[in-house]
């Protein structure tokens, strides 16, 4: 399942995938795969992304379905 919440939060902060990747210490491809739902990030990476985007885990990664 695509992570549109992550993509929307990244766009709200006017960050490219590469810029977010640099902030959290991963490759651009990793961010792209997370957004596409093809990579399941570690809790550590999820927390780093949340801090970089000033969001909670629930806001970015909780599946409401």
């Amino acid at each position: 399942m695509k992570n549109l919440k992550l993509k929307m939060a990244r766009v709200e902060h006017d960050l490219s995938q590469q810029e977010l990747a640099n902030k959290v210490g991963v490759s651009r491809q990793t961010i792209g795969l997370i957004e596409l739902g093809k990579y399941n990030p570690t809790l550590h990476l999820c927390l780093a992304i949340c801090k970089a985007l000033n969001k909670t885990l629930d806001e970015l990664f909780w599946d409401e379905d």
Side-chain angles (χ1 to χ4, degrees), residues 1 3 7-8 13 17 20 25 41 48 51 56-57 64-65:
M1 175 193 279
N3 191 333
K7 185 173 184 175
M8 295 289 287
H13 283 79
Q17 288 181 346
L20 178 57
K51 286 180 184 177
T56 67
L57 279 171
E64 295 177 2
D65 289 343

Side-chain angles (χ1 to χ4, degrees), residues 35-49:
E35 289 181 359
L36 289 173
K38 295 185 177 187
Y39 180 78
N40 189 14
T42 64
L43 180 58
H44 179 76
L45 179 52
C46 289
L47 290 171
I49 291 170

Side-chain angles (χ1 to χ4, degrees), residues 4-64:
L4 297 177
K5 294 185 277 187
L6 172 56
K7 185 173 184 175
M8 295 289 287
R10 178 177 58 77
V11 170
E12 284 174 11
H13 283 79
D14 197 29
L15 293 173
S16 67
Q17 288 181 346
Q18 184 64 60
E19 290 167 329
L20 178 57
N22 291 344
K23 285 181 174 275
V24 299
V26 297
S27 69
R28 181 204 55 79
Q29 290 85 351
T30 299
I31 299 299
L33 290 172
I34 294 168
E35 289 181 359
L36 289 173
K38 295 185 177 187
Y39 180 78
N40 189 14
T42 64
L43 180 58
H44 179 76
L45 179 52
C46 289
L47 290 171
I49 291 170
C50 288
K51 286 180 184 177
L53 296 175
N54 197 27
K55 299 283 185 181
T56 67
L57 279 171
D58 285 351
E59 290 173 316
L60 293 182
F61 296 101
W62 186 256
D63 184 12
E64 295 177 2

